[in-house]
Amino acid sequence: MPCEVMAACVQSCCTKSAMIKSVAFDATRSLIHGTGLCQLMVDLSLVDEVWCRIQEEARAVAEEEPLLHKLYDDLVLSHETLESALSANLASKLAVPALLSTSVLRDLFSAVLGNDSEIRRAISLDVRAFRNRDPACDKMVHCFLYYKGFLALQVHRVAHRLWIEGRRSVALLLQSRASEAFAVDIHPGAQIGAGVLLDHATGLVIGETAVVGDDVSFLHGVTLGGTGKEIGDRHPKIGDGVLIGAGTQVLGNVRIGEGAKIGAGSVVLKPVPPRTTAVGNPARLIGGEGKPVRLESRAGLTMDHTSRLL
Protein backbone atom coordinates (compact mmCIF):
# COMPACT_ATOMS: atom_id res chain seq x y z
CA MET A 1 0.00 0.00 0.00
CA PRO A 2 1.42 3.45 -0.90
CA CYS A 3 2.60 5.48 2.06
CA GLU A 4 0.13 8.30 1.35
CA VAL A 5 -2.84 5.91 1.27
CA MET A 6 -1.72 4.12 4.42
CA ALA A 7 -1.20 7.43 6.19
CA ALA A 8 -4.72 8.53 5.27
CA CYS A 9 -6.19 5.23 6.50
CA VAL A 10 -4.33 5.37 9.78
CA GLN A 11 -5.22 9.02 10.30
CA SER A 12 -8.88 8.14 9.81
CA CYS A 13 -8.67 5.32 12.32
CA CYS A 14 -6.82 7.50 14.79
CA THR A 15 -9.42 10.23 14.53
CA LYS A 16 -12.16 7.73 15.33
CA SER A 17 -10.24 6.35 18.30
CA ALA A 18 -9.15 9.69 19.80
CA MET A 19 -5.45 9.15 19.07
CA ILE A 20 -4.69 12.38 17.22
CA LYS A 21 -2.56 13.86 19.98
CA SER A 22 -0.51 10.67 20.35
CA VAL A 23 0.01 10.40 16.60
CA ALA A 24 1.20 13.99 16.39
CA PHE A 25 3.67 13.38 19.22
CA ASP A 26 5.05 10.22 17.63
CA ALA A 27 5.22 11.74 14.15
CA THR A 28 7.30 14.64 15.47
CA ARG A 29 9.61 12.30 17.39
CA SER A 30 10.01 9.94 14.43
CA LEU A 31 11.11 12.76 12.13
CA ILE A 32 13.53 14.13 14.70
CA HIS A 33 15.12 10.73 15.29
CA GLY A 34 15.11 9.69 11.65
CA THR A 35 12.51 6.94 11.84
CA GLY A 36 10.48 8.42 9.01
CA LEU A 37 6.79 9.28 8.83
CA CYS A 38 6.04 6.46 6.39
CA GLN A 39 7.43 3.82 8.79
CA LEU A 40 5.47 5.42 11.61
CA MET A 41 2.27 5.05 9.59
CA VAL A 42 3.08 1.38 8.92
CA ASP A 43 3.65 0.79 12.64
CA LEU A 44 0.42 2.53 13.61
CA SER A 45 -1.48 0.56 10.97
CA LEU A 46 -0.20 -2.67 12.52
CA VAL A 47 -1.34 -1.57 15.97
CA ASP A 48 -4.76 -0.63 14.61
CA GLU A 49 -5.14 -3.95 12.76
CA VAL A 50 -4.36 -6.00 15.86
CA TRP A 51 -6.58 -3.86 18.06
CA CYS A 52 -9.53 -4.20 15.66
CA ARG A 53 -9.10 -7.98 15.64
CA ILE A 54 -9.02 -8.09 19.45
CA GLN A 55 -12.20 -6.03 19.64
CA GLU A 56 -14.00 -8.20 17.10
CA GLU A 57 -13.09 -11.36 18.99
CA ALA A 58 -14.12 -9.79 22.31
CA ARG A 59 -17.56 -8.92 20.94
CA ALA A 60 -18.05 -12.44 19.66
CA VAL A 61 -16.99 -14.03 22.96
CA ALA A 62 -19.19 -11.68 24.99
CA GLU A 63 -22.19 -12.59 22.85
CA GLU A 64 -21.50 -16.33 23.10
CA GLU A 65 -20.83 -16.30 26.85
CA PRO A 66 -22.90 -13.76 28.86
CA LEU A 67 -20.92 -14.62 31.99
CA LEU A 68 -17.91 -12.87 30.43
CA HIS A 69 -19.75 -9.82 29.11
CA LYS A 70 -18.75 -7.43 31.90
CA LEU A 71 -15.14 -8.62 31.93
CA TYR A 72 -14.75 -8.15 28.19
CA ASP A 73 -16.55 -4.83 28.27
CA ASP A 74 -14.44 -3.43 31.11
CA LEU A 75 -11.08 -4.62 29.75
CA VAL A 76 -11.60 -4.41 25.98
CA LEU A 77 -14.84 -3.08 24.53
CA SER A 78 -15.11 0.08 26.62
CA HIS A 79 -11.66 1.24 25.48
CA GLU A 80 -10.83 3.18 22.34
CA THR A 81 -7.18 2.17 22.02
CA LEU A 82 -5.00 -0.88 22.54
CA GLU A 83 -2.81 0.91 25.06
CA SER A 84 -5.80 2.03 27.13
CA ALA A 85 -7.16 -1.52 27.32
CA LEU A 86 -3.78 -3.01 28.12
CA SER A 87 -3.18 -0.43 30.84
CA ALA A 88 -6.47 -1.36 32.49
CA ASN A 89 -5.76 -5.08 32.26
CA LEU A 90 -2.23 -4.86 33.66
CA ALA A 91 -3.35 -2.54 36.46
CA SER A 92 -6.08 -4.98 37.48
CA LYS A 93 -3.51 -7.79 37.68
CA LEU A 94 -0.83 -5.91 39.64
CA ALA A 95 -2.78 -3.72 42.06
CA VAL A 96 -2.30 -4.29 45.80
CA PRO A 97 -5.35 -3.43 47.95
CA ALA A 98 -4.76 -0.42 50.24
CA LEU A 99 -1.16 -0.08 49.02
CA LEU A 100 -1.05 0.24 45.22
CA SER A 101 -4.31 1.22 43.60
CA THR A 102 -5.58 0.13 40.22
CA SER A 103 -6.08 3.74 39.14
CA VAL A 104 -2.49 4.75 39.96
CA LEU A 105 -1.08 1.80 38.02
CA ARG A 106 -3.45 2.39 35.11
CA ASP A 107 -2.33 6.00 34.84
CA LEU A 108 1.34 4.94 34.97
CA PHE A 109 0.93 2.37 32.19
CA SER A 110 -1.15 4.75 30.09
CA ALA A 111 1.43 7.53 30.38
CA VAL A 112 4.21 5.27 29.07
CA LEU A 113 2.26 3.37 26.42
CA GLY A 114 0.45 6.44 25.10
CA ASN A 115 3.72 8.23 24.34
CA ASP A 116 5.80 5.42 22.88
CA SER A 117 5.04 4.14 19.38
CA GLU A 118 7.92 1.63 19.58
CA ILE A 119 6.33 -0.15 22.53
CA ARG A 120 2.90 -0.12 20.88
CA ARG A 121 4.38 -1.72 17.76
CA ALA A 122 6.17 -4.34 19.89
CA ILE A 123 2.94 -5.17 21.72
CA SER A 124 1.13 -5.81 18.44
CA LEU A 125 3.96 -8.01 17.16
CA ASP A 126 3.96 -9.91 20.46
CA VAL A 127 0.22 -10.60 20.13
CA ARG A 128 0.80 -11.90 16.61
CA ALA A 129 3.69 -14.06 17.81
CA PHE A 130 1.50 -15.78 20.40
CA ARG A 131 -1.35 -16.27 17.93
CA ASN A 132 0.88 -17.60 15.15
CA ARG A 133 3.36 -19.74 17.11
CA ASP A 134 1.36 -21.12 20.04
CA PRO A 135 -1.08 -23.81 18.82
CA ALA A 136 -3.09 -23.38 22.02
CA CYS A 137 -3.81 -19.72 21.22
CA ASP A 138 -6.80 -19.58 18.88
CA LYS A 139 -7.76 -15.96 19.58
CA MET A 140 -5.75 -12.78 20.00
CA VAL A 141 -8.12 -11.59 22.71
CA HIS A 142 -7.31 -14.64 24.83
CA CYS A 143 -3.61 -13.80 24.64
CA PHE A 144 -4.33 -10.15 25.39
CA LEU A 145 -6.39 -10.90 28.52
CA TYR A 146 -5.10 -14.17 29.92
CA TYR A 147 -1.64 -15.23 28.79
CA LYS A 148 0.76 -14.44 31.60
CA GLY A 149 3.81 -14.64 29.34
CA PHE A 150 2.36 -11.89 27.17
CA LEU A 151 1.27 -9.81 30.16
CA ALA A 152 4.60 -10.14 31.96
CA LEU A 153 6.41 -9.10 28.78
CA GLN A 154 4.32 -5.93 28.48
CA VAL A 155 4.93 -5.04 32.12
CA HIS A 156 8.63 -5.41 31.38
CA ARG A 157 8.40 -3.10 28.37
CA VAL A 158 6.98 -0.36 30.56
CA ALA A 159 9.45 -1.08 33.38
CA HIS A 160 12.37 -0.95 30.94
CA ARG A 161 11.25 2.44 29.64
CA LEU A 162 11.07 3.74 33.21
CA TRP A 163 14.48 2.19 33.96
CA ILE A 164 16.27 3.97 31.13
CA GLU A 165 14.52 7.22 32.07
CA GLY A 166 15.97 7.01 35.57
CA ARG A 167 12.77 6.01 37.40
CA ARG A 168 14.41 2.88 38.70
CA SER A 169 12.50 2.47 41.95
CA VAL A 170 9.19 2.36 40.08
CA ALA A 171 10.69 0.02 37.47
CA LEU A 172 11.81 -2.39 40.20
CA LEU A 173 8.35 -2.23 41.76
CA LEU A 174 6.80 -3.35 38.47
CA GLN A 175 9.37 -6.14 38.17
CA SER A 176 8.51 -7.34 41.66
CA ARG A 177 4.76 -7.27 41.10
CA ALA A 178 5.06 -9.03 37.73
CA SER A 179 7.18 -11.74 39.34
CA GLU A 180 4.60 -12.24 42.08
CA ALA A 181 1.61 -12.19 39.72
CA PHE A 182 2.97 -14.11 36.73
CA ALA A 183 5.96 -16.14 38.04
CA VAL A 184 8.13 -14.40 35.44
CA ASP A 185 11.18 -12.42 36.62
CA ILE A 186 12.66 -10.03 34.06
CA HIS A 187 15.03 -7.35 35.28
CA PRO A 188 13.94 -3.93 33.97
CA GLY A 189 17.42 -3.32 32.59
CA ALA A 190 17.14 -6.23 30.14
CA GLN A 191 16.62 -5.31 26.48
CA ILE A 192 13.96 -7.33 24.63
CA GLY A 193 12.98 -7.05 20.97
CA ALA A 194 9.55 -7.33 19.32
CA GLY A 195 7.55 -10.36 18.27
CA VAL A 196 8.69 -12.33 21.33
CA LEU A 197 6.85 -15.41 22.60
CA LEU A 198 7.04 -16.48 26.26
CA ASP A 199 5.18 -19.79 25.97
CA HIS A 200 3.72 -20.82 29.35
CA ALA A 201 6.46 -18.61 30.85
CA THR A 202 6.40 -19.99 34.41
CA GLY A 203 9.85 -19.78 35.96
CA LEU A 204 11.40 -17.59 33.26
CA VAL A 205 14.29 -15.47 34.56
CA ILE A 206 16.12 -12.83 32.50
CA GLY A 207 19.02 -10.90 34.02
CA GLU A 208 19.84 -7.21 33.97
CA THR A 209 22.32 -7.05 31.07
CA ALA A 210 20.65 -9.66 28.86
CA VAL A 211 19.74 -8.66 25.31
CA VAL A 212 17.03 -10.52 23.39
CA GLY A 213 16.44 -9.95 19.67
CA ASP A 214 13.24 -9.97 17.62
CA ASP A 215 11.09 -13.06 16.98
CA VAL A 216 12.62 -15.08 19.82
CA SER A 217 10.59 -17.90 21.39
CA PHE A 218 11.07 -19.08 24.98
CA LEU A 219 9.51 -22.01 26.75
CA HIS A 220 8.98 -22.15 30.51
CA GLY A 221 11.74 -22.50 33.08
CA VAL A 222 14.39 -20.70 31.02
CA THR A 223 17.15 -18.68 32.71
CA LEU A 224 19.28 -16.06 31.00
CA GLY A 225 21.62 -15.60 33.93
CA GLY A 226 25.14 -14.83 35.05
CA THR A 227 27.81 -17.28 36.14
CA GLY A 228 28.03 -15.80 39.62
CA LYS A 229 31.65 -14.77 39.08
CA GLU A 230 31.26 -11.60 37.02
CA ILE A 231 30.03 -8.04 37.36
CA GLY A 232 29.02 -5.57 34.69
CA ASP A 233 27.87 -6.96 31.32
CA ARG A 234 27.38 -10.53 32.48
CA HIS A 235 24.23 -11.95 30.83
CA PRO A 236 23.49 -13.70 27.51
CA LYS A 237 22.87 -12.04 24.16
CA ILE A 238 20.15 -13.80 22.15
CA GLY A 239 19.99 -13.21 18.40
CA ASP A 240 16.86 -12.78 16.29
CA GLY A 241 14.67 -15.83 15.70
CA VAL A 242 16.18 -18.08 18.38
CA LEU A 243 14.21 -20.91 20.02
CA ILE A 244 15.08 -21.77 23.64
CA GLY A 245 13.54 -24.97 24.99
CA ALA A 246 11.98 -25.58 28.39
CA GLY A 247 14.26 -25.69 31.41
CA THR A 248 17.27 -24.32 29.58
CA GLN A 249 19.95 -22.34 31.40
CA VAL A 250 22.08 -19.92 29.38
CA LEU A 251 24.76 -18.52 31.68
CA GLY A 252 27.27 -15.74 31.23
CA ASN A 253 27.86 -13.12 28.55
CA VAL A 254 27.58 -15.63 25.69
CA ARG A 255 26.08 -15.09 22.26
CA ILE A 256 23.33 -17.30 20.83
CA GLY A 257 23.40 -16.68 17.09
CA GLU A 258 20.47 -15.75 14.87
CA GLY A 259 17.94 -18.52 14.26
CA ALA A 260 19.64 -21.05 16.56
CA LYS A 261 17.89 -23.72 18.61
CA ILE A 262 18.65 -24.70 22.20
CA GLY A 263 17.20 -28.06 23.20
CA ALA A 264 15.12 -28.44 26.35
CA GLY A 265 17.06 -28.86 29.58
CA SER A 266 20.37 -27.66 28.15
CA VAL A 267 23.02 -25.72 30.05
CA VAL A 268 24.76 -23.30 27.68
CA LEU A 269 28.10 -21.86 28.74
CA LYS A 270 29.66 -21.16 25.33
CA PRO A 271 28.54 -19.21 22.23
CA VAL A 272 26.21 -20.98 19.79
CA PRO A 273 26.68 -20.14 16.08
CA PRO A 274 23.73 -18.91 13.96
CA ARG A 275 21.28 -21.51 12.59
CA THR A 276 22.74 -24.37 14.63
CA THR A 277 21.35 -26.60 17.37
CA ALA A 278 22.85 -27.03 20.83
CA VAL A 279 21.69 -29.58 23.37
CA GLY A 280 22.85 -31.20 26.62
CA ASN A 281 24.65 -30.37 29.84
CA PRO A 282 27.01 -28.85 29.04
CA ALA A 283 25.46 -28.02 25.68
CA ARG A 284 27.13 -29.34 22.54
CA LEU A 285 26.47 -28.59 18.88
CA ILE A 286 24.63 -31.18 16.80
CA GLY A 287 27.16 -32.26 14.18
CA GLY A 288 30.11 -31.11 16.26
CA GLU A 289 31.92 -27.79 16.48
CA GLY A 290 33.87 -28.41 13.28
CA LYS A 291 30.83 -28.92 11.06
CA PRO A 292 27.59 -28.27 12.93
CA VAL A 293 24.30 -29.13 11.26
CA ARG A 294 22.73 -25.97 9.84
CA LEU A 295 19.05 -25.09 10.19
CA GLU A 296 17.26 -23.91 7.07
CA SER A 297 14.81 -21.67 8.94
CA ARG A 298 14.82 -19.63 12.12
CA ALA A 299 13.89 -22.00 14.91
CA GLY A 300 12.12 -19.26 16.86
CA LEU A 301 9.56 -18.98 14.07
CA THR A 302 9.14 -22.67 13.17
CA MET A 303 8.86 -23.77 16.82
CA ASP A 304 10.35 -27.12 15.80
CA HIS A 305 11.72 -28.55 19.04
CA THR A 306 12.77 -32.02 17.89
CA SER A 307 14.30 -32.00 14.40
CA ARG A 308 18.11 -32.13 14.28
CA LEU A 309 18.30 -33.15 17.95
CA LEU A 310 19.08 -36.83 17.29
Side-chain angles (χ1 to χ4, degrees):
M1 180 184 294
C3 182
E4 294 80 4
V5 175
M6 183 172 290
C9 293
V10 173
Q11 183 62 37
S12 175
C13 292
C14 291
T15 300
K16 294 177 182 178
S17 60
M19 289 177 62
I20 296 176
K21 184 180 295 184
S22 179
V23 170
F25 176 89
D26 288 326
T28 301
R29 186 171 66 176
S30 70
L31 292 174
I32 291 173
H33 293 284
T35 303
L37 183 58
C38 185
Q39 183 59 49
L40 173 68
M41 293 300 105
V42 172
D43 293 345
L44 289 174
S45 179
L46 170 66
V47 174
D48 188 69
E49 176 188 334
V50 169
W51 175 234
C52 288
R53 177 76 172 273
I54 290 172
Q55 287 183 307
E56 290 172 1
E57 293 175 350
R59 291 189 188 95
V61 171
E63 290 176 2
E64 293 171 2
E65 182 51 79
L67 177 68
L68 299 176
H69 187 275
K70 178 172 173 51
L71 174 69
Y72 278 66
D73 185 63
D74 288 350
L75 296 181
V76 178
L77 298 175
S78 64
H79 296 273
E80 295 182 325
T81 64
L82 179 146
E83 57 268 24
S84 173
L86 182 59
S87 296
N89 191 18
L90 295 178
S92 71
K93 303 286 188 184
L94 302 188
V96 180
L99 293 176
L100 191 62
S101 72
T102 302
S103 61
V104 167
L105 283 173
R106 184 180 61 244
D107 291 346
L108 175 65
F109 287 123
S110 294
V112 175
L113 297 177
N115 287 327
D116 199 312
S117 62
E118 293 179 7
I119 294 182
R120 293 202 300 274
R121 173 180 175 274
I123 292 168
S124 297
L125 290 172
D126 293 342
V127 174
R128 283 188 166 188
F130 275 79
R131 178 66 184 87
N132 293 337
R133 291 182 231 157
D134 182 356
C137 182
D138 63 352
K139 288 182 172 61
M140 286 186 177
V141 71
H142 289 165
C143 165
F144 189 78
L145 291 178
Y146 306 142
Y147 282 33
K148 64 182 182 180
F150 169 78
L151 297 172
L153 183 55
Q154 307 324 315
V155 174
H156 168 73
R157 296 198 185 284
V158 173
H160 180 67
R161 178 61 60 190
L162 295 170
W163 181 265
I164 63 179
E165 290 177 354
R167 300 183 64 185
R168 297 195 167 189
S169 293
V170 179
L172 290 170
L173 169 67
L174 294 182
Q175 176 197 3
S176 174
R177 289 296 301 127
S179 179
E180 293 168 353
F182 306 126
V184 175
D185 193 356
I186 308 175
H187 192 283
Q191 302 175 50
I192 299 180
V196 173
L197 169 64
L198 309 184
D199 194 358
H200 294 289
T202 302
L204 178 74
V205 177
I206 299 180
E208 178 184 7
T209 62
V211 178
V212 176
D214 297 332
D215 301 321
V216 175
S217 296
F218 294 89
L219 271 290
H220 53 283
V222 170
T223 297
L224 302 185
T227 63
K229 302 186 298 181
E230 302 164 336
I231 59 175
D233 190 1
R234 61 198 182 277
H235 295 107
K237 309 299 180 281
I238 311 299
D240 295 343
V242 169
L243 172 62
I244 303 184
T248 292
Q249 316 297 302
V250 186
L251 304 178
N253 189 4
V254 296
R255 172 78 182 180
I256 309 300
E258 171 266 336
K261 180 195 303 185
I262 311 299
S266 298
V267 177
V268 181
L269 303 174
K270 297 180 179 180
V272 176
R275 301 290 181 106
T276 62
T277 300
V279 62
N281 180 9
R284 67 188 189 281
L285 295 179
I286 299 298
E289 293 188 9
K291 194 175 181 180
V293 175
R294 302 285 296 183
L295 300 171
E296 295 180 359
S297 302
R298 287 180 170 181
L301 296 177
T302 65
M303 298 297 289
D304 182 354
H305 292 269
T306 59
S307 297
R308 307 288 189 181
L309 290 180
L310 302 175

